[in-house]
Amino acid sequence: MNASAKRASRRIGWLAILTIALIGCADPAGDAGANAAADARPAKVYQWKIITTWPKFLPGVGMSAENLAERLRVMSDGRLDIRVYGAGELVGAFEVFDAVSAGTAEMGHGAAYYWRGKMPIAPLFTTIPFGMTAQEANAWLSYGGGLALWRELYAPFDVVPFPAGNTGVQMAGWFNEEINALEDLAGLKMRIPGLGGEVLERSGGVPVSIPGGEVFTALQTGVIDATEWIGPYNDLALGLYSAGRYYYYPGWHEPGAVLELIVNRQALEALPADLQAMIATAAQAINEDTLSDYTARSVAALETLEREHGVKLRPLPAEVMAKLREASLRVVAEAAGEDELSQRIHDSYTGFLAGVRRYTDLTEKAYLEAR
Ligand code: CA
């Protein structure tokens, strides 16, 4: 709705009140008229901004905030009017957390592992090497104490997090040479961010940090030997099949990246209870929707990659996976550091993972192996 339409709609709202009030005065029974007048009061419209760490309209992750804003607009009958900004439009991708903390924007959409410089334990709320799957992470966050710890971690910054999307298990990435043994990781220059990069380094590789927009050229020109991105859905869109020769799986470093909706605490608490509930519900809906989007579209994208672009799929050898897993345990333990809250987060995550892993082995894994 543009400004003049809003003004017109407010005018109509006030006219309605006036009319009902006059009718109310003339009505000897009074009460019904007074209630109707209260109902017709024009609702306060909250004009908010949501800033994201993703390029505007990027398929999957970039559409989560768009879908969230649209659902909230419909659910609230226009009372929550949220404008979406892609990375760099209002603030840079890596300034999203600070901007929401300061109230520059009321909301943000991104991933907790981007705030690792501020909170080294933050990656546990996105994904860690050999960590939980999407289903397991959702269980930990909702019913295993994870979300309460996440809120405790962000509380000093006046930021309230909600899980709001998941990519599912990613792919290991695009490699220009085959990986047949541990030695093939030696000196391998790979674009791989976060804890996964540290694990690669301890396994002999050289992690390189390059923004998404530069990945294609870096791989094509040989600046790097390999790169991970997300999975078939986004990798196809980025054209990585024409830069890397082999497509390896599985994404040991990002087995189910949780995306986050972050909301400025004062802005959230200033909302009426029904709008606060709508935000929580919309975040849950987006959390599910994004995972479904990734799962469905990656199936189709993988078919296109193999059939139309002749992409060669390769599993990472067991020996390589074993080495990466061993290094991951140390890297994740060290991320907890000395700090008491970080230790509690680490213990909660690893404790829940140990339990759910056994259950997943008996159910999902046993079933999938038999299917
Ligand atoms: Ca990734």
Side-chain angles (χ1 to χ4, degrees), residues 113-114 127 167 170-172 191-193 228-231 235 253-254 257:
Y113 61 11
Y114 292 139
T127 186
T167 63
Q170 300 194 0
M171 293 291 276
R191 183 267 179 193
I192 175 170
E228 70 82 53
W229 180 228
I230 299 179
D235 294 7
H253 61 301
E254 296 196 54

Side-chain angles (χ1 to χ4, degrees), residues 49-53 85 90-91 95-96 99-100 105 107-109:
K49 300 180 196 79
I50 182 165
I51 50 180
T52 76
T53 58
Y85 294 84
L90 196 65
V91 301
E95 291 156 2
V96 165
V100 171
M107 280 182 163
H109 190 269

